[in-house]
Amino acid sequence: MKTTIFLVVLAVLSANTALVPNPAVPRQVASRTNLIIGHIGPYDRLYYRTYLNQAPLPNAVQTQDVVFRGTTYNNITAVYALEVGYTQYAQAWILSGGIGRNNVTVRAQSARGYGFYYQVEVWGR
Ligand SMILES: *[C@@H]1O[C@H](CO)[C@@H](O)[C@H](O)[C@H]1NC(C)=O
Ligand SMILES: *[C@@H]1O[C@H](CO)[C@@H](O)[C@H](O)[C@H]1NC(C)=O
């Protein structure tokens, strides 16, 4: 399987330019501030796992995107972004792609003055 993975865009944003989750993108938020979309079936496998980790910065909102691009044979069934350790009140959501696609872009965004530490997993069949 040939996959290309890009870690992109770390931006520190000021108060008025803070990005908010796009309400048009369906998402399911479980406990804490985790992103849990879809579910992992018995024949699914882990396409990709990575960590998005930023230390707190005073008075700053930080964002980081991760892009997974699979092959035409990949079919994503679950996308997780799970906070590691204590909660830092961050958020994670899908910017594009996702379930039924072969690619997905996940964005993590810190609360102001906090960092984030997410384990991101993309599963599929
Ligand atoms: C992905 O899987 C779903 C569920 O099995 C299926 O309905 C869909 O057609 C698949 N998409 C592709 C591109 O294979
Ligand atoms: C993501 O996959 C869909 C098909 O599943 C494709 O139409 C789209 O162009 C892909 N986007 C990127 C950025 O690769």
Side-chain angles (χ1 to χ4, degrees):
M1 185 184 71
K2 181 170 171 290
T3 59
T4 315
I5 285 146
F6 301 90
L7 257 185
V8 289
V9 186
L10 170 65
V12 177
L13 302 169
S14 70
N16 296 328
T17 59
L19 298 163
V20 294
N22 181 354
V25 176
R27 66 195 188 108
Q28 177 190 338
V29 178
S31 58
R32 298 169 57 113
T33 55
N34 294 328
L35 169 74
I36 299 175
I37 296 216
H39 64 270
I40 301 165
Y43 299 106
D44 293 354
R45 57 201 174 83
L46 181 64
Y47 287 159
Y48 182 50
R49 173 186 287 148
T50 193
Y51 296 87
L52 301 178
N53 190 7
Q54 292 299 327
L57 280 181
N59 202 36
V61 174
Q62 306 178 73
T63 67
Q64 188 172 5
D65 295 351
V66 60
V67 179
F68 169 81
R69 285 195 180 100
T71 69
T72 51
Y73 302 106
N74 291 144
N75 190 343
I76 293 172
T77 54
V79 179
Y80 292 172
L82 307 175
E83 276 195 301
V84 178
Y86 56 87
T87 185
Q88 297 183 77
Y89 314 104
Q91 297 179 79
W93 66 93
I94 290 177
L95 279 182
S96 66
I99 308 302
R101 308 286 178 81
N102 60 20
N103 55 65
V104 66
T105 301
V106 174
R107 169 163 293 177
Q109 179 173 292
S110 75
R112 180 168 304 281
Y114 287 81
F116 52 75
Y117 190 1
Y118 278 108
Q119 175 177 306
V120 177
E121 291 183 353
V122 180
W123 291 77
R125 63 169 76 95

